[in-house]
Amino acid sequence: QIILKESSPTLVKPTQTLTLTCTVSGFSLTTSGAGVGWIRQPPGKALEWLALIYWNDGLRYTPSLKSRLTIAKDTSKNQVVLTMTNMDPEDTATYYCVHVAAVGSRRYFDSWGQGTLVTVSS
Amino acid sequence: QSVLTQPPSVSAAPGQKVIISCSGSSSNIGNNYVSWYQQFPGTAPKLLIYDNDKRPSGVPDRFSGSKSGTSATLDITGLQTGDEADYYCGSWDASLKGVFGGGTKVTVL
């Protein structure tokens, strides 16, 4: 059973850097075809895909936020970390960690963490 | 502004059918697979349909997906009060970056 659990501060100040950690179990971050990504959802709004890291260290970022995002994995800790710089109140959202099943051109988010609400406010 | 376009809401009486559309382009849906996610208030989304039309284990066959060209649809037949939720379509762009629709709220009348 794949389990993903997010951890992060609940409150960050504008201009600060946010660090989100996803601790995974039930699969290996080096298993061929495995990926872990981040998706966020502002209160009352739609899902927004942010970033993804694959088993082979392939990276993908959403174009609109690419300059502010860095995703990395620590296989020894079974963790994926996303950092987002220069936080703004508009970044207030629930951030979800997701497992991506990828086989060739087929890929989808088959497991989701419970989400962590991050509020940006001074 | 979401990349994929969905109607904000659909509704029908119990037992009836609703169809949720998801419109994209050749840069995303036209050349990639579509998945659908169901989200109840206050909870994380759950995979409902993958690879355009496949259901994960445990998803009732009342839910079905299809894709044609640059659009996809999610059909819910035999609508139940427990189906009231938000539904999101998702796909990928040419660089295999994820894209989502704006979500559709299903209301059972």
Side-chain angles (χ1 to χ4, degrees):
Chain A
Q1 180 189 7
I2 291 174
I3 298 175
L4 309 106
K5 186 168 177 58
E6 307 90 347
S7 56
S8 76
T10 57
L11 180 66
V12 296
K13 290 181 167 49
T15 75
Q16 287 186 333
T17 294
L18 171 67
T19 299
L20 295 156
T21 302
C22 178
T23 303
V24 308
S25 60
F27 72 101
S28 169
L29 293 172
T30 59
T31 298
S32 179
V36 174
W38 290 91
I39 293 165
R40 72 178 179 179
Q41 184 174 37
K45 295 188 177 181
L47 301 172
E48 179 182 19
W49 182 87
L50 298 177
L52 181 55
I53 185 166
Y54 287 106
W55 79 101
N56 58 1
D57 293 327
L59 306 176
R60 296 289 188 275
Y61 295 103
T62 188
S64 61
L65 294 170
K66 184 177 181 180
S67 64
R68 299 174 52 205
L69 297 175
T70 302
I71 190 170
K73 59 182 168 74
D74 184 335
T75 54
S76 67
K77 295 182 179 178
N78 289 326
Q79 291 180 336
V80 172
V81 176
L82 180 73
T83 58
M84 180 181 293
T85 60
N86 194 25
M87 292 293 284
D88 182 271
E90 289 197 350
D91 296 315
T92 294
T94 296
Y95 288 77
Y96 294 103
C97 178
V98 294
H99 175 266
V100 180
V103 179
S105 62
R106 299 166 48 231
R107 54 204 69 219
Y108 45 90
F109 309 115
D110 59 353
S111 295
W112 295 62
Q114 62 186 22
T116 182
L117 175 61
V118 177
T119 301
V120 184
S121 174
S122 55
Chain B
Q1 189 83 356
S2 300
V3 174
L4 307 179
T5 301
Q6 297 180 234
S9 63
V10 297
S11 61
Q16 298 300 303
K17 174 181 177 178
V18 294
I19 300 173
I20 301 172
S21 60
C22 175
S23 178
S25 70
S26 58
S27 299
N28 40 64
I29 291 179
N31 284 285
N32 284 289
Y33 289 89
V34 176
S35 51
W36 290 89
Y37 304 87
Q38 178 189 56
Q39 185 180 34
F40 294 106
T43 68
K46 180 189 97 169
L47 178 66
L48 197 64
I49 296 288
Y50 67 99
D51 290 356
N52 301 333
D53 57 10
K54 296 182 175 56
R55 284 184 306 276
S57 173
V59 173
D61 58 7
R62 300 186 298 102
F63 296 90
S64 63
S66 64
K67 174 189 142 176
S68 178
T70 59
S71 294
T73 60
L74 173 69
D75 291 9
I76 309 175
T77 58
L79 198 62
Q80 301 178 1
T81 55
D83 297 333
E84 283 203 335
D86 293 325
Y87 294 82
Y88 292 91
C89 61
S91 187
W92 304 84
D93 71 9
S95 303
L96 294 180
K97 300 181 179 74
V99 292
F100 282 108
T104 298
K105 182 178 181 61
V106 170
T107 301
V108 182
L109 300 172

